[in-house]
Amino acid sequence: MDLLIVSGRRPDLLENTLTSIKDNIEVDFSNVLINIDPWAGDEKDHQMTKDVVLKYYPIAVINEPREPNFCQAVKFLWSNVKSNSAFHTEDDWIWNQKFTEDYFVNGLKQVGMFRFVTKENHGYDRYGTSPCVITKEFAHAASKTLNITKDPEKQVGSNVELSTLVET
């Protein structure tokens, strides 16, 4: 399983998230991809964010675009999934419950993505970029449809290819 993280230059937040993943997500990630967008903080914070990543995952692939673009970050991460499935999260989510790889894999049976129930989505949305588990096939197919000039979550409905993918 892959680990995908969208991050800004927020080393303290990312450190808390990675600690919670280490403590509660019982998965040996074979591929770790992190996008660090240059928003929040400065160059020192950027380097500190990279250092945090490498402390937890020394072989992580870190994407460092010159301009921040949330949709481009998602597109990069999803298009580079290598394992059959991936755990996608962001730098400011704290994992305070235990989850196993079996839980993730079982949640993906007959769907391309499942999202965690949060107070924001109540578990009803079938698509989104807040924490989710996603299959490689769905991630690659969805990433091909994304228009990087728009919010990836708001494209369902206006992006026919993505809408069709989500509904099947």
Side-chain angles (χ1 to χ4, degrees):
M1 178 171 281
D2 293 358
L3 173 62
L4 314 174
I5 299 178
V6 175
S7 183
R9 295 172 168 171
R10 306 187 302 178
D12 294 338
L13 280 175
L14 183 60
E15 176 95 34
N16 291 337
T17 297
L18 293 177
T19 297
S20 73
I21 289 171
K22 178 181 166 266
D23 293 344
N24 293 303
I25 306 298
E26 297 173 353
V27 174
D28 290 324
F29 296 108
S30 56
N31 186 37
V32 177
L33 298 160
I34 300 185
N35 187 91
I36 303 173
D37 266 353
W39 62 269
D42 56 20
E43 288 298 322
K44 181 180 175 188
D45 294 310
H46 187 95
Q47 184 58 51
M48 289 170 55
T49 303
K50 280 178 58 173
D51 293 345
V52 166
V53 170
L54 296 173
K55 178 172 97 174
Y56 286 85
Y57 300 103
I59 59 169
V61 174
I62 302 172
N63 188 42
E64 303 172 77
R66 292 180 188 259
E67 299 292 327
N69 183 314
F70 179 58
C71 190
Q72 184 63 45
V74 171
K75 188 176 183 90
F76 167 78
L77 294 171
W78 289 5
S79 66
N80 285 289
V81 171
K82 293 180 182 174
S83 302
N84 289 333
S85 58
F87 172 52
H88 172 100
T89 192
E90 297 171 2
D91 63 359
D92 58 353
W93 284 82
I94 301 301
W95 298 91
N96 56 14
Q97 293 179 335
K98 298 272 186 199
F99 293 99
T100 64
E101 188 162 358
D102 286 343
Y103 175 85
F104 290 161
V105 171
N106 289 334
L108 283 173
K109 289 183 179 174
Q110 300 185 12
V111 296
M113 167 187 282
F114 82 86
R115 295 179 65 197
F116 293 87
V117 177
T118 67
K119 65 182 179 182
E120 292 85 6
N121 72 21
H122 307 288
Y124 295 120
D125 297 336
R126 294 181 60 191
Y127 168 80
T129 58
S130 59
C132 63
V133 178
I134 188 169
T135 65
K136 176 171 68 174
E137 293 78 18
F138 187 91
H140 287 192
S143 70
K144 289 177 186 174
T145 74
L146 293 175
N147 178 341
I148 63 166
T149 66
K150 298 179 180 178
D151 184 304
E153 290 189 331
K154 295 178 181 166
Q155 292 186 43
V156 170
S158 63
N159 179 328
V160 175
E161 288 179 278
L162 181 60
S163 298
T164 301
L165 182 64
V166 169
E167 294 304 317
T168 56

